[in-house]
């Protein structure tokens, strides 16, 4: 399993590059990760990310797009604008979470 | 090249390859021809997944599949164990009165338990994710239905030729 050193800190990743330990994440790292995939983080991105992380912490799994909309109040359309094409995966990556596991 | 092909260098992080460029132009067409509860979901689940992967997705509803987008029936699809050996139940009993309602009720509960949305909400999700919904002209004419009768997200009632145009270059799945 790759261990990366980012800004002088050790970060544990899976083979694809997703963080395996959400506690190694902070918002500065999120900016770095977002840049890696061509996203410039805005306050709105951070709102979604903070909510997703809090929810994942409570529920024990990464929220799906449906949950982000129905429970978090972030419209699906907007999520596709913020994290183009693959919102669930890109959000998970930037938020330091694992990819959602369910089919829906 | 995917992220896993990269040499693992402890000082540099692998970056997920989201394959945005490779996937550009990928297109999926799902033909939904069945109107039972169990046969509505495969198309809806695949469409939603494809959209979440950035794939241009079209659903074409035809014949019994119209029940999925007919405002009157979309929230009342049924599942019947009759003639379905995969339920592993004695077929003699499956045709008894009330069996279809019972089986439908059970399936709905299971679907809900998995946190999978009911059909109308699923269509909302697909529409909001940028999916395209189309209805078949011949079926509409046979059933005397107009766009007014159909789910609002349906973009149009189109004929077979229109559909062939839309499906150009797409991976097409008949359900």
């Amino acid at each position: 399993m790759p261990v990366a050193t980012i800004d002088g800190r050790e970060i544990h990743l899976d083979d694809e590059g997703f963080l395996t330990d959400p506690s190694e994440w902070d918002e500065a790292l999120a900016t770095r990760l977002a840049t890696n995939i061509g996203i410039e983080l805005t306050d709105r991105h951070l709102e979604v990310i903070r909510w997703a992380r809090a929810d994942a912490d409570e529920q024990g799994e990464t929220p799906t797009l449906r949950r982000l909309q129905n429970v978090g109040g972030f419209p699906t359309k907007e999520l596709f604008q913020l994290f183009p094409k693959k919102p669930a995966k890109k959000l998970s990556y930037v938020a330091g979470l694992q990819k959602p596991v369910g089919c829906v | 090249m995917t992220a896993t092909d990269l040499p693992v260098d402890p000082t540099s992080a692998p970056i997920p390859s989201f394959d945005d460029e490779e996937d550009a132009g990928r297109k999926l067409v799902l033909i939904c021809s069945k109107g039972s509860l169990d046969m509505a979901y495969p198309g809806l689940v695949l469409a939603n997944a494809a959209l979440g992967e950035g794939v241009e997705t079209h659903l074409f509803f035809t014949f019994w599949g119209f029940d999925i987008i007919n405002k009157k029936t979309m929230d009342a699809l049924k599942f019947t164990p009759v003639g379905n050996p995969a339920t592993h139940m004695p077929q003699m009993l499956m045709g008894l009165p009330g069996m279809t309602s019972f089986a439908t009720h059970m399936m709905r509960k299971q679907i809900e338990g998995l946190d999978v949305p009911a059909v109308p909400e699923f269509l909302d999700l697909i529409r909001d994710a940028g999916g395209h919904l189309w209805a078949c002209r011949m079926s509409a004419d046979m059933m005397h239905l107009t766009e007014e009768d159909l789910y609002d997200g349906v973009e149009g009632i189109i004929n077979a030729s229109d559909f062939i145009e839309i499906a150009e270059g797409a991976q097409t799945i008949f359900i």
Side-chain angles (χ1 to χ4, degrees):
Chain A
M1 202 184 289
V3 181
T5 311
I6 301 175
D7 296 335
R9 284 187 300 139
E10 275 202 349
I11 309 286
H12 292 78
L13 305 164
D14 66 13
D15 289 337
E16 274 187 276
F18 288 79
L19 265 71
T20 52
D21 181 356
S23 69
E24 292 176 345
W25 180 96
D26 63 19
E27 292 189 4
L29 181 64
T31 308
R32 267 301 198 86
L33 297 174
T35 310
N36 283 349
I37 57 167
I39 292 175
E40 199 182 321
L41 282 195
T42 62
D43 289 346
R44 186 63 172 162
H45 286 97
L46 283 168
E47 262 183 68
V48 181
I49 290 168
R50 286 181 198 130
W51 189 88
R53 283 184 56 88
D55 187 66
D57 191 38
E58 245 174 59
Q59 302 293 321
E61 60 182 31
T62 306
T64 60
L65 293 185
R66 180 183 178 225
R67 192 169 165 83
L68 283 157
Q69 173 167 272
N70 290 359
V71 186
F74 302 104
T76 303
K77 275 186 192 166
E78 193 188 353
L79 294 172
F80 271 89
Q81 285 159 6
L82 293 172
F83 301 94
K85 295 200 173 216
K86 302 182 184 181
K89 282 188 182 169
K90 288 183 178 173
L91 165 63
S92 307
Y93 173 65
V94 178
L97 301 168
Q98 289 292 295
K99 289 182 280 187
V101 288
C103 282
V104 178
Chain B
M1 185 150 106
T2 64
T4 47
D5 296 325
L6 294 167
V8 178
D9 171 356
T11 59
S12 77
I15 297 168
S17 158
F18 289 108
D19 293 329
D20 282 356
E21 262 118 69
E22 282 168 46
D23 285 349
R26 191 172 166 197
K27 192 165 155 184
L28 179 68
V29 168
L30 298 155
I31 303 172
C32 302
S33 74
K34 301 282 200 298
S36 57
L37 186 62
D38 51 324
M39 291 305 281
Y41 275 90
L44 299 175
V45 170
L46 287 175
N48 186 53
L51 290 161
E53 288 294 302
V55 178
E56 178 184 333
T57 303
H58 299 260
L59 291 110
F60 182 68
F61 297 90
T62 186
F63 281 89
W64 314 124
F66 253 59
D67 273 12
I68 303 171
I69 49 166
N70 183 338
K71 283 178 192 159
K72 283 204 181 106
T73 53
M74 59 199 280
D75 208 13
L77 301 184
K78 291 188 168 59
F79 164 64
T80 182
V82 175
N84 182 356
T87 58
H88 305 291
M89 308 275 255
Q91 284 299 306
M92 286 278 289
L93 304 177
M94 292 303 104
L96 291 175
M99 199 55 90
T100 292
S101 303
F102 173 72
T104 299
H105 175 73
M106 293 304 287
M107 184 170 279
R108 275 182 199 283
K109 263 178 53 179
Q110 281 178 322
I111 290 169
E112 207 186 311
L114 291 174
D115 208 23
V116 171
V119 170
E121 192 201 328
F122 219 147
L123 292 171
D124 290 345
L125 209 62
I126 288 168
R127 182 198 53 196
D128 290 350
H132 301 278
L133 308 172
W134 306 101
C136 157
R137 161 62 53 201
M138 185 173 160
S139 314
D141 291 347
M142 276 176 70
M143 298 174 197
H144 307 290
L145 295 170
T146 67
E147 281 186 33
E148 292 292 294
D149 300 304
L150 303 176
Y151 172 71
D152 292 333
V154 173
E155 287 176 50
I157 299 177
I158 60 171
N159 65 27
S161 312
D162 297 332
F163 170 73
I164 296 297
E165 273 181 26
I166 286 169
E168 187 186 348
Q171 292 170 303
T172 303
I173 300 177
F174 187 92
I175 298 168

